[in-house]
Amino acid sequence: MKVALITGITGQDGSYLADLLLEKGYVVHGVKRRASSFNTKRIDHIYEDPHVENQRLKLHYGDLTDSMNLTKIINDCQPDEIYNLAAMSHVKVSFDIPEYVGNVDALGTLRILEAVRLLGLEKKTRIYQASTSELYGGMLKNKNDKGFYDENSSFHPRSPYGVAKIYGFWIIKNYREAYDMFACNGILFNHESPRRGETFVTRKITRATSKIVLGLQTKFYLGNLDAKRDWGHAKDYVNMMWMILQADVAEDWVIATGITTTVREFVKLSFLYVGIELEFIGKGINEKAIVSKCNNPKYKLKLGQEVLSVDPAYFRPSEVDVLIGDSSKAKNKLGWFPKYDLKSLVNEMMESDLKLMNKYQYLKAGGYKTNSTYD
């Protein structure tokens, strides 16, 4: 029975990866940070009573800034596979706390590698590092002849988050070459799901859309509506993470759908799920979205109602306008293909957030209280 250790197990990717590995028969150890409130809602459905014998999901308190703690956890677990998914991954916030981001996202990766090396596990333990499309910085000069970013594209990160992740990328390669470790980078393009954090733009959109059609708010605000991203489903991407560590040779891999969509189009798709069509008027910081048609009798908004405005506060100091990845290597060498398209992803997120906001509306009206965020 294989043993896996997941840092960031309580996050979107960590929870889906834990689901996958448990289905495959693994014993799964997860690292989570200590908090004064419960922060395990994404894995509550697979959590087992610690008093039960032979449980296959085990949680440990830890932090990527604490090398002694990480070393102890790795020594206790003796993992066959480590998936380093923990990070401060909000790009906009990384400009506000750059030192912390460097400590966690850059040096945290080094601490894991050093722990594995010092414990003499470099021949036993395979390591997956969650890298990011933010390494490329959206620079046109970096693209391949198809206009996409692949494993051979050069890097030009444009945020403290991207800069910290580039250290993680290169230290993985360095330890792979210096110590013959099976250590790999997965360069993940944007991936979303109903479990996405509420402050990320896609989840912000689906939550706000749900609140607006239920009458819980009237409008919301976004930044750069022209920004284009390569959006996939987190379930597809965690499957690729596992495939990377099953490969014969340790390499670095791009994980992407190869399709790019604007933030504006994501907004349109979210409202279309509830039968509402939008018209975008104005340009730049003066752009707004108004209701142009309601096709669903269940969700009626006033024609002409403004539901979205642009707020310059949400623009990044250095904007990444376009990100699109070429995962040909993953498809040709590992046989990986995404199962979800963008429309099915948006629909799943909308279905989940409508249920969540309906529940919120019910509780607000004095209904039965529950601690569960996800159905």
Side-chain angles (χ1 to χ4, degrees):
M1 189 178 293
K2 281 188 174 182
V3 176
L5 174 64
I6 303 172
T7 68
I9 193 171
T10 59
Q12 170 189 253
D13 293 4
S15 64
Y16 280 122
L17 181 60
D19 288 340
L20 177 70
L21 296 180
L22 289 171
E23 288 174 7
K24 292 182 178 296
Y26 280 64
V27 172
V28 176
H29 293 261
V31 178
K32 69 176 189 122
R33 289 178 297 168
R34 168 70 175 86
S36 58
S37 58
F38 291 113
N39 60 352
T40 59
K41 58 180 177 289
R42 293 185 180 93
I43 57 173
D44 283 346
H45 63 288
I46 54 174
Y47 182 74
E48 297 175 297
D49 188 330
H51 303 97
V52 176
E53 293 185 6
N54 301 318
Q55 59 176 311
R56 290 196 295 118
L57 176 64
K58 307 171 190 287
L59 300 181
H60 307 263
Y61 285 118
D63 196 292
L64 290 186
T65 63
D66 188 341
S67 58
M68 291 185 66
N69 170 259
L70 286 173
T71 303
K72 180 181 184 303
I73 292 173
I74 292 171
N75 185 53
D76 290 345
C77 298
Q78 295 288 304
D80 299 292
E81 298 169 5
I82 294 177
Y83 297 86
N84 182 31
L85 310 185
M88 203 310 290
S89 57
H90 197 289
V91 177
K92 176 68 168 65
V93 174
S94 75
F95 286 95
D96 299 324
I97 50 173
E99 181 181 344
Y100 174 77
V101 172
N103 194 11
V104 174
D105 296 10
L107 295 181
T109 308
L110 172 64
R111 293 179 182 112
I112 290 173
L113 290 164
E114 269 293 272
V116 169
R117 185 182 71 84
L118 293 173
L119 291 170
L121 298 174
E122 57 264 64
K123 300 303 179 186
K124 168 185 171 62
T125 303
R126 297 187 170 198
I127 301 172
Y128 171 85
Q129 165 67 7
S131 198
T132 171
S133 59
E134 292 289 333
L135 298 182
Y136 300 117
M139 307 303 286
L140 295 175
K141 64 181 180 180
N142 301 352
K143 295 184 178 181
N144 61 21
D145 56 4
K146 292 192 287 187
F148 296 177
Y149 298 106
D150 61 18
E151 292 82 1
N152 298 314
S153 299
S154 57
F155 299 141
H156 190 131
R158 307 193 70 211
S159 66
Y161 168 70
V163 172
K165 279 292 190 175
I166 209 167
Y167 179 94
F169 178 91
W170 283 109
I171 201 66
I172 285 284
K173 288 177 73 77
N174 179 251
Y175 271 64
R176 183 167 73 216
E177 296 168 359
Y179 303 112
D180 196 28
M181 284 188 180
F182 197 103
C184 309
N185 289 292
I187 306 174
L188 280 67
F189 281 66
N190 296 69
H191 48 289
E192 318 299 320
S193 76
R195 299 182 190 177
R196 190 45 136 164
E198 292 88 346
T199 60
F200 288 83
V201 66
T202 53
R203 188 74 195 291
K204 183 177 179 179
I205 292 168
T206 57
R207 280 174 59 93
T209 303
S210 300
K211 283 187 172 183
I212 289 169
V213 298
L214 292 173
L216 295 171
Q217 71 182 60
T218 57
K219 63 181 290 187
F220 68 114
Y221 299 86
L222 293 175
N224 183 9
L225 300 180
D226 291 315
K228 295 181 179 180
R229 292 295 182 267
D230 183 335
W231 277 304
H233 198 299
K235 285 183 179 180
D236 285 328
Y237 285 40
V238 300
N239 186 53
M240 180 59 182
M241 295 176 191
W242 175 79
M243 294 172 74
I244 286 172
L245 291 195
Q246 313 316 307
D248 294 331
V249 179
E251 299 181 71
D252 304 318
W253 307 81
V254 165
I255 311 175
T257 69
I259 300 172
T260 188
T261 309
T262 63
V263 172
R264 184 184 296 101
E265 185 62 27
F266 199 103
V267 174
K268 288 181 179 179
L269 288 172
S270 297
F271 276 89
L272 280 175
Y273 178 82
V274 288
I276 295 172
E277 297 181 30
L278 300 179
E279 179 185 354
F280 285 78
I281 57 177
K283 291 185 178 181
I285 61 174
N286 296 314
E287 186 170 4
K288 305 177 187 300
I290 62 173
V291 175
S292 62
K293 188 179 294 186
C294 290
N295 299 315
N296 187 338
K298 186 176 180 181
Y299 304 113
K300 281 294 185 183
L301 300 181
K302 292 181 180 179
L303 297 184
Q305 177 181 332
E306 182 182 319
V307 294
L308 168 65
S309 292
V310 171
D311 185 344
Y314 294 121
F315 282 76
R316 301 179 187 179
S318 53
E319 188 63 62
V320 175
D321 293 319
V322 182
L323 288 174
I324 182 170
D326 182 355
S327 54
S328 296
K329 177 181 174 182
K331 293 173 181 176
N332 295 333
K333 298 186 73 170
L334 296 182
W336 176 82
F337 290 89
K339 296 178 180 178
Y340 287 82
D341 61 14
L342 181 62
K343 184 178 180 181
S344 63
L345 168 63
V346 173
N347 289 352
E348 185 179 325
M349 293 178 69
M350 280 299 303
E351 180 183 11
S352 175
D353 274 331
L354 278 170
K355 289 180 180 178
L356 179 62
M357 294 310 151
N358 266 308
K359 183 183 294 183
Y360 172 79
Q361 190 176 45
Y362 176 67
L363 295 177
K364 196 174 180 182
Y368 176 73
K369 188 174 182 180
T370 174
N371 291 324
S372 177
T373 301
Y374 301 102
D375 290 334

